[in-house]
């Protein structure tokens, strides 16, 4: 591995480490609690991130979803909900640390509801299985990885909730550098090997995201983090 790649991976790894630290502080400070709206939680996390790291800039919209809103994928903008007792909540934040993007998502269960607890467990297991599959297939394409994790949803008794299962990540703004083409997503129509270099000959780094839903129960669970950097 050359120094360019080593430095890139070190920067992405550090950005994710800080994002994980932020999410741990969200738990420690009991920001996710019943009686609070999604918008208020979003504001509280924004303030906390600024206090901890001076973050004002995010490379994508900050998402807090509770209850039936957890069914909705990223691009939708459902009405603001208030978190209820025994609710399920997921967070999807893309903070920028020294011009390097993080993209971190986690699901939280308030209470002991067995279906919500199982969902949170299953998405974590599926993410790990997705990474194992990716590592075992040197020429895996985005469509193949999407099909694998989508099939996992059914194996675990859920439905895959999003139009894709992840995307490129890098130095801000990666979307302007790499573009919005389907080849830059873990998408059913992306038939290019994920380990193919970018147009400058550099390795591409990926986020894997898992979104499982149950439309009858009106619950969804979401997890995402770096796939290609250990």
């Amino acid at each position: 591995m050359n120094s360019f790649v080593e430095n890139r991976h070190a920067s992405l790894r550090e950005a994710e480490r800080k994002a994980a630290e932020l999410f741990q502080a969200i738990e420690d400070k009991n920001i996710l609690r019943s009686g609070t709206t999604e918008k208020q939680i979003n504001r509280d996390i924004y303030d906390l991130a600024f206090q901890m790291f001076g973050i004002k800039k995010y490379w994508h919209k900050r998402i807090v979803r509770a209850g039936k809103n957890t069914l909705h994928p990223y691009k939708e903008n459902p009405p603001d909900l208030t978190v209820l007792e025994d609710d399920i909540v997921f967070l999807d934040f893309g903070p920028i640390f020294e011009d390097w993007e993080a993209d971190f998502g986690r699901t939280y269960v308030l209470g002991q509801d067995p279906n919500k607890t199982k969902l949170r467990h299953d998405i974590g297991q599926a993410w790990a299985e997705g990474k194992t599959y990716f590592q075992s297939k040197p020429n895996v394409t985005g469509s193949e990885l999407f099909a694998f994790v989508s099939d996992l949803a059914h194996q675990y008794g859920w439905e895959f909730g999003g139009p894709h299962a992840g995307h490129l990540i890098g130095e801000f703004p990666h979307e302007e550098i790499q573009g919005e083409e389907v080849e830059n997503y873990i998408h059913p129509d992306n038939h290019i090997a994920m380990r193919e270099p970018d147009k400058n000959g550099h390795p591409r780094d990926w986020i894997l995201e898992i979104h499982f839903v149950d439309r009858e129960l009106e619950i969804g669970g979401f997890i995402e983090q770096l796939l290609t950097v250990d």
Side-chain angles (χ1 to χ4, degrees), residues 110-172:
L110 284 62
Q112 305 297 324
D113 182 281
N115 291 313
K116 295 168 185 172
T117 301
K118 179 181 183 298
L119 177 54
R120 181 182 59 188
H121 173 269
D122 288 351
I123 58 173
Q125 289 293 110
W127 194 98
E129 290 184 54
K131 178 162 186 171
T132 298
Y133 179 82
F134 173 81
Q135 291 175 325
S136 72
K137 303 282 186 180
N139 298 313
V140 66
T141 65
S143 60
E144 289 169 339
L145 183 53
F146 179 88
F148 179 80
V149 296
S150 182
D151 186 58
L152 283 179
H154 298 292
Q155 290 181 37
Y156 280 106
W158 311 100
E159 175 187 343
F160 199 84
H164 64 79
H167 51 79
L168 293 176
I169 193 77
E171 193 168 6
F172 180 76

Side-chain angles (χ1 to χ4, degrees), residues 14-59:
E14 179 64 8
E16 181 160 283
R17 185 195 67 77
K18 289 178 178 176
E21 186 178 337
L22 170 62
F23 273 53
Q24 185 59 56
I26 291 167
E27 288 191 71
D28 294 343
K29 294 181 180 295
N30 195 34
I31 288 176
L32 306 178
R33 59 191 184 277
S34 61
T36 308
T37 66
E38 295 168 332
K39 286 185 177 179
Q40 183 59 56
I41 290 170
N42 204 322
R43 287 191 293 266
D44 289 347
I45 295 173
Y46 179 89
D47 291 343
L48 177 61
F50 180 73
Q51 292 167 16
M52 292 178 66
F53 300 109
I55 299 170
K56 289 185 176 179
K57 189 164 59 173
Y58 294 77
W59 71 269

Side-chain angles (χ1 to χ4, degrees), residues 1-20:
M1 187 181 295
N2 61 41
S3 59
F4 173 87
V5 175
E6 288 177 349
N7 291 337
R8 174 188 175 88
H9 283 185
S11 298
L12 287 171
R13 192 181 300 112
E14 179 64 8
E16 181 160 283
R17 185 195 67 77
K18 289 178 178 176

